[in-house]
Amino acid sequence: NPLVGCPGSAGVGARFHGPRGTPARKRGPALQLFTQRIIDGLANGAIYAWMALAFSLVYKCSGRLNLAQGEIANIGTYLALVFATAATPALAGTGLANTLVPLHPLPVWAAIVLAMITAAALAVAIERFIIRRSGDNAPVVSIGLTIGMLLVLNSTTIFVWKPVNRGFRSPFPTDARDFVTIGGARLRYEYIGT
């Protein structure tokens, strides 16, 4: 073999422990990438699991499938943005929030908590005054009502806040060094918190 003893060759001194002759020193980044993908997949899967839990919890409690709960959460997110942003004409509702909410603009965590309470109150109002009044009709009626509420809430969001990308400060540390290392992969605090 003309490559015997050359670095990286299959000659003397080369150690192959990986699949298809991959040197052991090359497996480290691949294992880190695999671990990173596992962590990313678990983080994304957790979001889907929470959504499924929300749908099943609402269905078990009320006996109705509420397809508008994602839009209620969307409105809650915009309300948190309004509560955390100083009064400005660029974001609808900040002037009203400045008048009605003491200590406006609120810190991000306080804005999130207040937005969750407000969105929950909106959800209760929708359930009490719209969905419950439909009676015990066929499930199709309930699904139709919640799809209608989804469309109304979505249109209201677009009308009030316009379809513009908006930035929102993260409530978690976001510095380049703010992560936990697991098996060489980085788990950011934002993944842990969300």
Side-chain angles (χ1 to χ4, degrees):
N1 185 353
L3 299 175
V4 171
C6 294
S9 70
V12 176
R15 294 183 9 216
F16 296 108
H17 297 287
R20 294 192 189 133
T22 305
R25 66 181 178 275
K26 300 252 184 201
R27 286 188 303 168
L31 185 59
Q32 287 177 351
L33 181 63
F34 177 72
T35 306
Q36 186 69 49
R37 294 300 179 249
I38 292 291
I39 290 171
D40 292 343
L42 288 173
N44 289 337
I47 294 170
Y48 290 118
W50 279 109
M51 289 172 35
L53 181 66
F55 277 117
S56 63
L57 183 65
V58 168
Y59 181 74
K60 285 289 185 183
C61 290
S62 68
R64 295 184 170 109
L65 182 63
N66 184 356
L67 299 174
Q69 62 191 11
E71 290 303 317
I72 294 170
N74 184 32
I75 287 180
T77 304
Y78 273 103
L79 289 174
L81 179 64
V82 167
F83 295 147
T85 304
T88 176
L91 182 61
T94 53
L96 182 63
N98 193 35
T99 305
L100 298 177
V101 178
L103 305 173
H104 183 265
L106 299 174
V108 175
W109 281 105
I112 290 172
V113 170
L114 182 60
M116 288 171 61
I117 292 168
T118 308
L122 174 66
V124 167
I126 289 172
E127 198 277 331
R128 295 276 185 233
F129 299 116
I130 296 174
I131 295 174
R132 190 173 282 189
R133 290 194 178 194
S134 70
D136 290 331
N137 295 330
V140 173
V141 174
S142 176
I143 290 173
L145 272 173
T146 60
I147 289 175
M149 287 309 306
L150 180 145
L151 294 173
V152 167
L153 293 173
N154 187 290
S155 299
T156 303
T157 303
I158 291 172
F159 179 75
V160 172
W161 288 293
K162 311 294 182 243
V164 176
N165 289 335
R166 301 188 185 276
F168 191 68
R169 289 188 322 268
S170 174
F172 305 102
T174 57
D175 192 45
R177 296 178 308 267
D178 291 331
F179 58 85
V180 177
T181 303
I182 298 175
R186 295 177 177 180
L187 179 59
R188 303 211 39 95
Y189 294 133
E190 291 177 310
Y191 283 164
I192 295 170
T194 57

